[in-house]
Amino acid sequence: MEYVPITKPPVDQMPVLPNLRDYGETRRHWSWDTVRNELDGVPGGGLNKAYECLDRHAKGDRRDKPAMLWEGKNGERETYTFAEFAREANKAANGLSSLGVEKGDRVFMFLERIPECYFTAFGTLKLGAVIGPLFSAFGPDAVKDRLADSGAKVLVTTPELWSRVKEIRSDLPGLEHIVLVTRRQQAEPGDGIVLWDEVVGSQSDDFETVSTDPENYSVMHYTSGTTGKPKGAAHVHNAIIGQYATGKYVLDLHDEDVYWCTADPGWVTGTSYGMFAPWSNGATSLVYEGGFGANTWYSLIEKYKVTVWYTAPTAIRMLMKAGDDIPKKHDLSSLRYTMSVGEPLNPEAVVWSERVLGLPFHDNWWQTETGCILIANYPALEIRPGSMGRPFPGIEPGIIDEDGKLMPPGEEGNLAVRPGWPSMFRTYWNNKPLYDSRFQNGWYITGDRARMDADGYFWFVGRADDVINTAGHLVGPFEVESVLIEHPAVAEAGVIGKPDPVAMEVVKAFVALKDGYEADEKLRRELIRFSRDRLGAMIAPREIEFVPGLPKTRSGKIMRRLLKARELGLPEGDTSTLED
Ligand code: PRX
């Protein structure tokens, strides 16, 4: 990839000084203990994410500072100071406790980005229980699989979203309560169904955050792999150390900032960087419930005077597509620093934003499993467009070969990281063997292919597995194939990511039909609807192609790589294991 350094003003002429001024020095003197000492710890001992994000600010100088500026999808506006936010979270903790939620229990949130989503998250953490965020566009099968695997005790949702998935109830005997937030639509309580206003509304706003051990579980995010259903990557309270540190040094958050992370808490960016990093740093954070719209997004930046903005390549490419005239109609002068994550950020997007917004997007890299940013283009460093940047202090990534041996700069291999940073996941829920399989020769294997240049910048090459990245969200082909083969017409299905100029990849399914079914347009549409109804539009295939049969290995495994090579018109590679 071409190396085009972006010219930036000298560090001391930037509007707000970056927290990380000397990358080399900071790396040399880095200590996680120093960061830990910048946090408070629960007064009774231990570490709790909710205490670091809310309680310590609610008690201190930031008590009346806005923590959350919320704008609803219908234009509603609410502001919560750190003290108000802490009180709402206390009420949620008392409410959940009245339902019998105890330390270690799993409370899942199937909510849009409404304030109650954030109150639930922090109320749950205050109790020492574990949050499981679900993306609000999921369908019933996607929700059921995640609730069943995690053994969730409580689901907090809305009447609208619950009516979409309620058929799953009888399959989830461990799910004791469904709490409905009736902010927009009324509902009746019923068998196991309780109302937020009744359970939480009348509670005391006093609650003493539980003294959790740093190694107690706090958050689990379901993420996709090549095989099997999604796995719950479980994180502990100690993760707040990495989230706080990267909030300070990569997001470069200062007290005067208004920060906006566009990600949904159903995905890890929306929790690590939509909640933990900004609030542990005491920053004011904008939460916008609505979806993408170029005009709306620029208007929000103008209206709330957003200074630090964290978004994703697909959104940036959509902004590019919407044209250069729209940003010109808005005053975007508040912006001082912009970042991107989740998929490769093409160099043109960096050059575009430098030209149109006057600021280049700073790409950074991490994963659900890593819990926090590990590689970044820092505010104080020269950006290399197309590169993910350099390692965070205290992080040691490497490019290794198939035997786990370090490879020289410039060569492509598996991106691996030496384990041991505080935000690293601690297990895959109910799947320790899979967790163990992610380590080799003292390295954590990320599943990405990459190379490092002579100056220590990392460059993403692709995934080492069949996981699909659509608009920055990972989709496991198996989850989609399992739903397709439930349709009576489908004999077998193979699912791949098909390159897309905006979303990076879209989900494409190859389907072989059972005898007696006709491969026509009507059936194709029916299969798309069938998968959407079960999985939600984000996971379901966008495209379906009928094929007479699927290429399989002699042991019967569908060769997705071959399907992909054929789709792209690439050489088919090693087909020696293909069945005759
Ligand atoms: O393949 C990499 C891609 O997204 C994966 C992680 O996705 P997920 O676990 O959903 O976490 C999302 C939060 C970042 C990675 O293994 N990815 C992430 N960031 C980048 C990236 N690919 C290229 N460039 C990036 N900056």
Side-chain angles (χ1 to χ4, degrees), residues 223 268-269 341-344 363-369 388 448 460 463 469 474:
T223 182
V268 75
T269 309
V341 75
E343 336 148 40
D363 190 16
N364 51 62
W365 177 93
W366 58 294
Q367 306 181 299
T368 303
E369 287 84 348
M388 309 189 290
D448 283 351
F460 182 80
R463 293 283 309 186
N469 189 331
L474 301 189

Side-chain angles (χ1 to χ4, degrees), residues 13 20 23 83 109 134 191 243 253 284 311 361 366 403 501 523 580:
Q13 284 171 28
L20 186 71
Y23 176 78
M109 313 181 315
L134 296 171
D191 175 30
Q243 289 150 356
L253 293 170
T284 299
T311 188
F361 274 99
W366 58 294
D403 300 322
L523 183 55
D580 301 324

Side-chain angles (χ1 to χ4, degrees), residues 6-17:
I6 294 261
T7 330
K8 298 207 294 168
V11 164
D12 54 4
Q13 284 171 28
M14 286 174 73
V16 178
L17 290 180

